[in-house]
Amino acid sequence: MQKIFKIGLIGCGHIAETYFRAHKYFNNFRIIKCADINKKSAEKCAKKYKIDFVSINKILKDKEIEIILNLTIPTAHYVVAKKSLLSGKHVYSEKPLAVDLKDGLELVKIARRKKLFIGNAPDTFLGGGNQKARQLLDRKIIGNIKFGTAIFAFPGIQSYHPNPEPWFKKKGGGPVIDMGPYYLTALVNLLGPAKFVTSICNHNTKKRIIGIGPKKGKKIKVECPTTYFSTIRFENGTTIRLTLSFDVISHLRNHIELYGDEGSMIIPDPNMFGGSVLLSKKLGSKWKNYKTNKMVLGKINIRTQSSRANESPTNANYRGVGLAEMIYSIQKKKKHRCNGNLSLHVLNIIEGIHKSAKTGKKFYIKTKCERPKFFTSKEINSIII
Ligand SMILES: NC(=O)c1ccc[n+]([C@@H]2O[C@H](COP(=O)([O-])OP(=O)(O)OC[C@H]3O[C@@H](n4cnc5c(N)ncnc54)[C@H](O)[C@@H]3O)[C@@H](O)[C@H]2O)c1
């Protein structure tokens, strides 16, 4: 019989609903207790999902719990993940691994020393959209990829998040920490590791107004740049121009486009799991549409709209698959896909983007990671209910 791993959740905020919904899809975990620095948030979460809430110290000492799910804010990821590992628990954190590279390096080292698994979001690259693109690229369908573009641009999280302050802080704020992990992880999955990066930034606004929740109408200070333009050279020679911005009302550009010597490919939203991959092999030809809506991790699975854009009935959202795949790998004693080396490499690129924008210099990426293996239907089916 399939073992169900008992999970302790630390950080009972906005994204928690998505991970509780993941109980419906994956067969190997159950969140049984929760904790938060803010007791009221833990209490509310426990009541909503009919589980127990305890203190952070208690959850870390709980013998029943084998894995900590760390859904705290980015600046707390390091400290919570470190405490979890030192308490002998595997840990799976939301993105990014940490805010500073040195902290990320320490976490990966501790996990290795203690022979524990450290996992990290995003897991969206395991979805139908990015995996379909990966499958086509591995077949060299557009030949050798030369360059491409990627963009995430919207007006900012203040419109739909009731507590958006951390997203605009000097430390841990800005679009590179927030959305960079989705784009960079998807690109590393498609192209392999990065070699160097150059970047410039704009600090466009001084204040934002909270658009939702009890603090609606309150002005908050913007302490960080909110738009970055970066150029990333990958080890395989591909150059990507990446725009990450909290300053754009709307746009019609594609999330990721790759140009090869035999064709062009448009890759769906790396923040989500589904969407079509589009392919053109000839100038002016009709784009061929590779749909993913019949794939296990590509079909729309949300019926009702929540306050969050990700939770809407147009989306395939299987967040939690990275945790389920990590558990599968613990049991099979193999390397998981959303692993520490991958998230550390992504954190290194994030650091490079920030540093290059500050210094005006090219930043070389020192960490290495392997391109995660293609996620096979057999593996997916073994963790799906
Ligand atoms: N909100 C989204 O749509 C979304 C989507 C994908 C990923 N994420 C990621 O998920 C994480 C959480 O985001 P969120 O939107 O749920 O944030 P949130 O602010 O709504 O919730 C975070 C929770 O963590 C708690 N917390 C903060 N520091 C803590 C600490 N040191 N120890 C224990 N608890 C602590 C806070 O009290 C809060 O309840 C972030 O890393 C974010 O990037 C969010």
Side-chain angles (χ1 to χ4, degrees), residues 10-16 19 35-38 41 56 70-74 76-77 79-80 94-96 157 160-163 166-167 177-178 182 271 308 310 319:
I10 302 184
C12 307
H14 228 41
I15 189 69
Y19 282 84
D36 196 291
I37 203 168
N38 178 347
S41 301
I56 293 172
N70 176 9
L71 303 185
T72 59
I73 53 172
H77 288 176
V79 64
V80 170
E94 250 304 330
K95 45 81 190 169
I157 193 167
Y160 67 84
H161 199 297
N163 299 303
W167 277 260
I177 285 273
D178 183 37
Y182 294 112
N271 182 20
R308 294 184 317 103
N310 285 347
R319 279 177 170 79

Side-chain angles (χ1 to χ4, degrees), residues 15-26 29 31 49 272 301-304 308 310-312 315-319 385:
I15 189 69
E17 82 171 299
T18 305
Y19 282 84
F20 279 100
R21 194 167 44 71
H23 285 158
K24 287 205 286 194
Y25 310 123
F26 305 110
F29 71 83
I31 304 166
Y49 297 106
M272 297 311 299
N301 57 334
I302 304 187
R303 303 279 164 259
T304 50
R308 294 184 317 103
N310 285 347
E311 293 289 326
S312 53
N315 288 342
N317 190 355
Y318 295 91
R319 279 177 170 79
I385 285 175

Side-chain angles (χ1 to χ4, degrees), residues 293-334:
N293 59 356
K294 297 230 160 61
M295 291 170 75
V296 179
L297 297 179
K299 51 175 174 265
I300 292 172
N301 57 334
I302 304 187
R303 303 279 164 259
T304 50
Q305 176 75 56
S306 89
S307 62
R308 294 184 317 103
N310 285 347
E311 293 289 326
S312 53
T314 50
N315 288 342
N317 190 355
Y318 295 91
R319 279 177 170 79
V321 62
L323 172 60
E325 195 269 347
M326 182 174 101
I327 292 169
Y328 174 81
S329 305
I330 292 171
Q331 291 182 299
K332 296 268 174 206
K333 296 189 174 37
K334 52 182 228 167

